């Protein structure tokens, strides 16, 4: 079956190259494209391009696709190129001439953006839920009354506690939630009705699709729908990178404090992996991988932010490559959040070892303040204690 | 004069290396450190570490420093290391033992964060003003009634207009303003009273400093004050990178459409530079530099996001190096916004050339919709027009 | 079947997370691990751990695996974790106790590095061949005698030619070849015999594996075998990024000069794609994707270079994640080289349009030099011509 | 004094923006531009543009500038824009009409590249010397006979030694030296005589400048002189990033192993810094800053690699911004190498603590091999020991 924009046969190598792995990635978009197409069909009914009956037929088939997709039975073939063509081909096969009407008053450009935005809103929502789950796991740790050394410059500094330590990640995740919320607010604009970026030579009703798809507002400017591609996805990735950064610090601490020399924390044995040569090893691979995945997701953000640079206005095919970094960033972040919620919930804290580590240098500052309370100026008190240390 | 934390003399080479260019960068922080110190002194008065008279003396000298700094007469010497020590040394010189009391109930760690946050709030405010200035310049362009070709894939696509083109940058800047606002909201937390990250062995009153310095809220967790360093600055840089990305697209278009082959736009001659060998050249250097500066600011963002990776909790000296990328990112973005506001306000639009460029292929989609309005299904109409093109 | 290092059952979620997609990526490594294992078995024979007969049996089964793999019939199951375990499991199944001997005198750590290095040497070789192929395509262009304008600052500058233009990419690719050669030289070290990074408590003979596997030299330091992971891969990616950078400039020019306003170049129609809404469009998607893939590969390089930062010596599981960015970088670069060789070989150059574009401002510098030849100082001649332009 | 390419007065704000900090950065280039100009004058003599006497006068004044620059007495004023104009202005002031001849047969484009390449060759040479210095410091450590634990996954793995540990950095630096050599080889091409990228309308003799300036070869393609800008600088930065990566791992280990919980290493007290609040602190700030500077230099590399993306052929002003990231990358790397040579030479190794850390789990693999030597298959031996651990 030929592509919708196609007359002459495309060179086979060029086809393979340009399709890339869109036909695989787009599995995640099927549902969203169908939903957007249903909303679009309602709009077409409103402006009298479709009759009520026609709209119903289309809606039914689109719902069928959603169902098939959920069961893994709707295939996007390489020659379909992407989910959008696969869906249209299916509609034409099922509904003949009626299927050929669905693309009226839209371009693949606004269609793709609509599916992406619905996908993004859903996924950011899932990430937020997982962040809240991890916060809950951390809150259980916070309740334990365990003293620990506090470090600065990776040197013993002042007394700290499990509560303070775990609490720092909660506040960090709260900041990340704000970023996630902001990201989903900014991208929450209806792109339908803007065509290829330059509007449509026919009057459409954007309010209908906006309401149907629960978008916060319509894009004001049709060209910006395309110019915001990559930019909006990078805003989401920035929020994800912040989440990953919180996890990166959490696991950096856990790996350090699980070393034999500290032994403040321990993973359950069934969470650790062994060595092919050293029989004694219990390695925190799971934590090391989370640590490294920060850099992986950061790399995805950089791909997007570099990719959009020095490009003129309007849709450029480069933007198609914004899909994979975003999707991989989302999947990676979700995986890491899930696994860290499990890890935190099962983490063993060795209270005794923490206590033993509370050596006297940690209390030097307290001594300074004892002198301050007795009336010494801070600097004099500091010097006096320093001499004795 | 020795540093405050110092007893034994530091090796000269190590000193030079560790001070780096902090003593230069910190000129920007002087004012903010003084303001934070005044607020801190009021807190010390409240908790009875300082008498009312002592506080007044300290406040007076701190205001003196602000005044001296504004006149460029307050020097931070290399051996001072940074503005914080320079200020304390000055106070001790002027007020003797009273000066030695100012550092009570704080650490350099919370002190630095306080000055940085005040600086950041001010500067993000300035960036927002400049963004609004550029929006106003663009709004003047939007009012001109000029038709232009719209491009996708850098190929002529559909009819566009100066209004649509310029409007896309306005909506992009509106998104950027949301990001700037969000960034300044997230970072707007009072760090004073959290010491080196592990609180203080004496009761302090954070509400006073919060109110005096107009912070939205107090940090909940003292350790997070330090763990959010770099993270908060990267959140600001992300917003700046988005602004720069809007400018990058704007100048990419301007450079392209100012080529002789288009000649839609022209810079005033006094905005262009010449060549040392080619007498005819009028080059848009100013636009090319703005284009490139997107990558520069993006590099600063990635310096920060990389720098904080794989570090354990608590202050690590690495974080000192978050200052320069942030400050340079802010300065660069402000410069570019200012210059682009000037450029846009003086931009010449060659209406005639734009009109000439409105060739017939741009209207192919209109022809499709004429057929659609006559009752053809979209796909049939598309095929019919395609055959004729 | 359990993993080799395993006694207690690993938590299912942790297993899925730690295995990641290694079991998929490792398809590319199967052949190389078998080859390295054959070399290793010969070494074991030499030091009398294996008899000649035992070695032959192992070699035979390892060659069987290579054959099965080539036919796509050797499966690496998720529960195998990676190709190394899959191979050992196969050997144990086939050869019972003999299979359990193959891992003597090695660790998975040196084993993985050996397979990676063999893979890398092969793949860099393929990339070099493809670069040479593109150079040959460009050399055909160079032979055409076609004048073109030369641009600086994207403004007409001086007369240029197809020969000069195409030749610049040839010299760029020659630099890239030097980088590729250097990369493959640097990484060409035998890691076998270094165990987990701390040598082996038994005498091994590294010369045998070195010769069998055609490595240039042995690693001098066993710990550096692990410390160079990521670093060596980033050196390869840096070379690939340079190749992609040459392609990025080539396609940036092609896209620009294929705009209707220039029309110097044209792609054959079967290389262009259409629009779902605009029937007239012939878009250079293939070029735009190559342009964008520069940023993608650059992102992979950044992932590696960030991932290895702030890690202590010795193997850390983070390093497992260096595989995917490298492999994807290699695949992408090969794809782009292949497609660009095809594009260049079929590129249409519109001599007439190039000629028409040779307008008189391009000759201003020539006029200056006519005056110089007549005895004017350069600066005076320049000023005189500038006045007239 | 006006710029050389200038007729109409440039808008003041535009001037400030376009000049940027070139007039400051160019201090480093003064010497090299003079040397290149002397070589160029000899070429002009050869092709009879200058008489022997004229050439001598120019050479004398150019040598004067070098001398003045060395004493810090040659100023580049903001209105000069850069060192190239400052030098030409000086020559014209001193030699009147003769000064106006020096720019014959060159463009600022090839002139800038010539000065940059001479600077780069010199600086890479200095970096190589510093790397060798650090290797020598490490070699002294290697000679000490001290046992240490070896870690994988930041868990105790097998016995290691100071020799093995320090040796790993030596081999890493040897790889870095290869990269530095390769970088200086690749960039070692004479750009003079290629004008603005499109040659010159007069016959020049590139062999003379090549020999005078000791370049390995001439560029083959004049356009590539400009297209290689940024690319060549990024190749150098990649080599520097590799050096910094070696240092990053070295200091990551030093910081970790200097924690109180290990105490394998200690810095001399005059190398450590204190805390403004905690009198007991001796912090390894110097090491933490080296650690962080890896990310800073990496950010510079990515500025360059991003900046050159999606740009068409020929000089674009964007390339001017490649200077600062390169220069800062070089300065930072040199500083870090110098300081680490000092640190390594003064490092205290606590033999007793290292020995105490050699706990029994480190010897589990040895036990496996004792069984292997007695005839057990490796996997059986491994299982047996694992059961006992």
């Amino acid at each position: 079956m030929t592509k919708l924009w196609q007359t002459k046969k495309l060179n086979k190598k060029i086809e393979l190259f340009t399709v890339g792995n869109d036909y695989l990635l787009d599995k995640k978009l099927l549902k969203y494209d169908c939903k957007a197409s249903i909303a679009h069909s309602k709009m077409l009914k409103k402006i009298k391009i479709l009759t009520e009956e026609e709209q119903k037929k289309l809606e039914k088939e689109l719902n069928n696709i959603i169902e098939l997709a959920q069961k893994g039975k709707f295939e996007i073939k390489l020659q379909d190129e992407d989910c959008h063509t696969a869906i249209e081909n299916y509609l034409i096969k099922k509904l003949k001439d009626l299927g050929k009407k669905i693309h009226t008053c839209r371009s693949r450009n606004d269609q793709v953006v609509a599916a992406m935005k619905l996908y993004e809103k859903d996924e950011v929502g899932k990430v937020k839920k997982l962040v809240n789950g991890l916060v809950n796991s951390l809150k259980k740790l916070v309740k334990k009354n365990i003293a620990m050394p506090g470090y600065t410059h990776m040197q013993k500094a002042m007394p700290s506690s499990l509560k303070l330590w775990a609490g720092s990640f909660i506040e960090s995740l709260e900041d990340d939630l704000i970023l996630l919320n902001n990201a989903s607010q900014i991208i929450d604009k209806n792109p339908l009705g803007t065509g290829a970026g330059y509007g449509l030579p026919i009057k459409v009703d954007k309010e209908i699709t906006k309401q149907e798809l629960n978008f916060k507002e319509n894009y004001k400017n049709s060209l910006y729908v395309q110019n915001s591609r990559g930019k909006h996805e990078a805003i989401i990735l920035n929020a994800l990178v912040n989440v990953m950064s919180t996890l990166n610090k959490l696991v950096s601490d856990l790996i350090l404090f699980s070393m034999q020399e500290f032994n403040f924390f321990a993973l359950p044995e069934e969470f650790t992996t062994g060595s092919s040569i050293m029989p004694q090893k219990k390695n925190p691979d799971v934590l090391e991988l989370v640590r490294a995945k920060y850099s992986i997701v950061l790399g995805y953000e950089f791909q997007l932010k570099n990719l959009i640079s020095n490009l003129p206005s309007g849709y450029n095919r480069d933007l198609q490559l914004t899909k994979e970094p975003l999707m991989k960033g989302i999947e990676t972040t979700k995986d890491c959040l899930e696994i860290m919620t499990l890890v935190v919930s099962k983490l063993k804290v060795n209270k005794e070892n923490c206590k033993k580590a509370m050596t006297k240098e940690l209390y030097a500052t307290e001594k300074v303040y004892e002198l301050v309370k007795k009336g010494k100026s801070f600097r004099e008190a500091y010097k006096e204690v320093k001499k004795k240390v």
Side-chain angles (χ1 to χ4, degrees), chain A:
Chain A
M1 197 165 298
T2 59
K3 279 157 214 67
L4 301 162
W5 43 262
Q6 196 175 343
T7 43
K8 202 166 173 180
K9 220 174 121 62
L10 192 62
N11 174 292
K12 194 70 201 164
K13 280 188 187 169
I14 300 284
E15 183 182 15
L16 277 170
F17 183 81
T18 53
V19 170
N21 59 353
D22 265 359
Y23 72 105
L24 298 172
L25 296 172
D26 275 16
K27 277 183 204 164
K28 290 190 193 305
L29 296 183
L30 265 175
K31 175 170 71 172
Y32 302 107
D33 192 77
C34 289
K35 286 185 181 178
S37 291
I38 291 171
H40 180 65
S41 71
K42 291 182 181 173
M43 194 282 288
L44 290 177
K45 185 184 72 182
K46 174 80 184 303
I47 65 169
K48 311 259 158 89
I49 303 265
L50 295 178
T51 64
E52 187 159 352
E53 197 193 11
E54 284 177 327
Q55 191 279 327
K56 286 229 166 99
K57 279 185 190 164
L58 282 164
E59 183 166 356
K60 194 177 149 234
E61 289 304 334
L62 286 161
N63 277 321
N64 277 345
I65 296 174
I66 294 178
E67 225 170 282
L68 287 169
Q70 262 159 348
K71 293 175 191 153
K73 287 184 178 167
F74 189 88
E75 203 193 350
I76 310 169
K77 289 188 282 290
L78 194 151
Q79 57 270 43
D80 286 331
E81 190 183 29
D82 58 23
C83 71
H84 317 293
T85 306
I87 291 170
E88 193 166 333
N89 284 342
Y90 178 95
L91 294 177
I92 292 170
K93 202 176 140 199
K94 289 277 181 182
L95 302 170
K96 306 287 162 351
D97 272 5
L98 173 54
K100 293 180 182 173
K101 286 187 175 174
I102 185 70
H103 206 59
T104 326
C105 299
R106 78 177 179 198
S107 159
R108 212 162 33 155
N109 284 358
D110 59 342
Q111 186 184 1
V112 169
V113 176
M116 281 301 290
K117 288 204 175 300
L118 294 174
Y119 161 77
E120 289 163 8
K121 284 169 64 177
D122 242 30
E123 290 296 323
V124 172
K126 288 178 197 168
V127 172
K128 285 193 280 188
K129 250 186 211 158
L130 290 166
V131 169
N132 280 316
L134 178 55
V135 168
N136 287 336
S137 270
L138 286 162
K139 278 185 177 163
K140 281 168 203 158
L141 274 190
V142 163
K143 283 177 193 154
K144 293 183 186 176
N145 181 21
I146 295 178
M148 280 173 70
Y151 294 80
T152 65
H153 303 264
M154 293 179 72
Q155 293 284 317
K156 283 188 177 178
M158 285 175 66
S160 180
S161 66
L162 186 66
K163 180 182 165 147
L164 181 63
W165 176 79
S168 73
F169 299 107
I170 295 175
E171 191 169 358
S172 190
L173 290 168
E174 286 168 355
D175 276 359
D176 300 335
L177 280 170
I178 298 176
L179 281 169
L180 287 164
N181 277 326
N182 291 341
S184 53
Q185 290 272 318
I186 288 173
I187 65 148
D188 197 0
K189 297 185 186 186
N190 180 28
L192 288 176
T194 61
Y198 301 100
L200 291 157
I202 190 168
K203 181 98 182 116
V204 294
D205 186 338
K206 295 177 189 172
E207 282 307 306
I208 295 184
T209 45
K210 191 193 88 176
Q211 282 165 27
E212 283 289 330
L213 297 170
N214 202 22
F215 279 115
K216 204 185 65 188
E217 58 187 322
N218 285 312
Y219 268 97
K220 293 178 196 164
N221 183 291
S222 65
L223 181 53
Y224 185 54
V225 174
Q226 300 307 315
N227 287 358
S228 63
R229 284 197 69 181
K231 181 183 176 85
H232 277 186
E233 281 70 27
I235 290 170
I236 295 170
L237 269 170
N238 175 61
L240 298 176
V241 164
N242 270 276
V243 173
M244 290 303 296
S245 161
T246 304
L247 300 187
N248 180 275
K249 196 169 281 304
L250 173 58
V251 297
S252 294
D253 280 358
L254 288 176
I255 293 168
L256 180 65
F257 293 144
S258 303
M259 291 182 81
Q260 286 98 328
E261 290 79 2
F262 297 83
N263 218 341
F264 298 167
F265 297 126
L267 294 180
E269 201 182 332
E270 71 269 23
F271 281 31
T272 62
T273 48
S275 153
S276 74
I277 176 173
M278 296 168 282
Q280 87 282 10
K281 293 298 295 281
K282 288 173 196 161
N283 295 322
D285 294 50
V286 60
L287 305 177
E288 296 168 277
L289 287 169
V290 171
R291 181 171 59 184
K293 285 183 184 200
Y294 169 67
S295 297
I296 298 298
V297 181
L298 182 53
Y300 293 139
E301 185 189 358
F302 182 79
Q303 285 178 334
L304 281 205
K305 282 181 164 170
N306 191 358
L307 186 151
I308 58 176
S309 68
N310 300 359
L311 289 182
S313 280
Y315 178 71
N316 296 288
R317 180 65 183 260
D318 314 59
L319 299 171
Q320 201 75 6
L321 297 186
T322 60
K323 240 192 254 180
E324 186 170 345
L326 177 75
M327 286 181 169
K328 289 212 156 184
I330 287 171
E331 291 306 312
T332 306
T333 306
K334 287 190 326 190
D335 285 354
C336 289
L337 280 165
E338 246 181 301
I339 214 76
M340 286 312 298
T341 304
L342 179 65
V343 163
V344 167
S345 73
K346 299 286 184 188
L347 188 70
K348 296 179 197 168
V349 188
N350 301 319
K351 191 167 179 173
E352 274 316 296
N353 289 326
C354 291
K355 198 176 163 186
K356 261 186 250 166
M358 299 295 287
T359 47
K360 72 169 193 279
E361 67 265 52
L362 292 163
Y363 301 95
T365 306
E366 285 190 21
K367 279 180 196 151
V368 174
Y369 276 93
E370 280 162 26
L371 297 176
V372 167
K373 286 171 194 166
K374 285 173 190 161
K376 279 255 158 87
S377 81
F378 176 77
R379 279 294 160 216
E380 292 303 323
Y382 174 95
K383 278 184 196 166
E384 199 174 315
V385 175
K386 193 174 181 82
K387 251 180 255 163
K388 289 181 197 156
V389 178

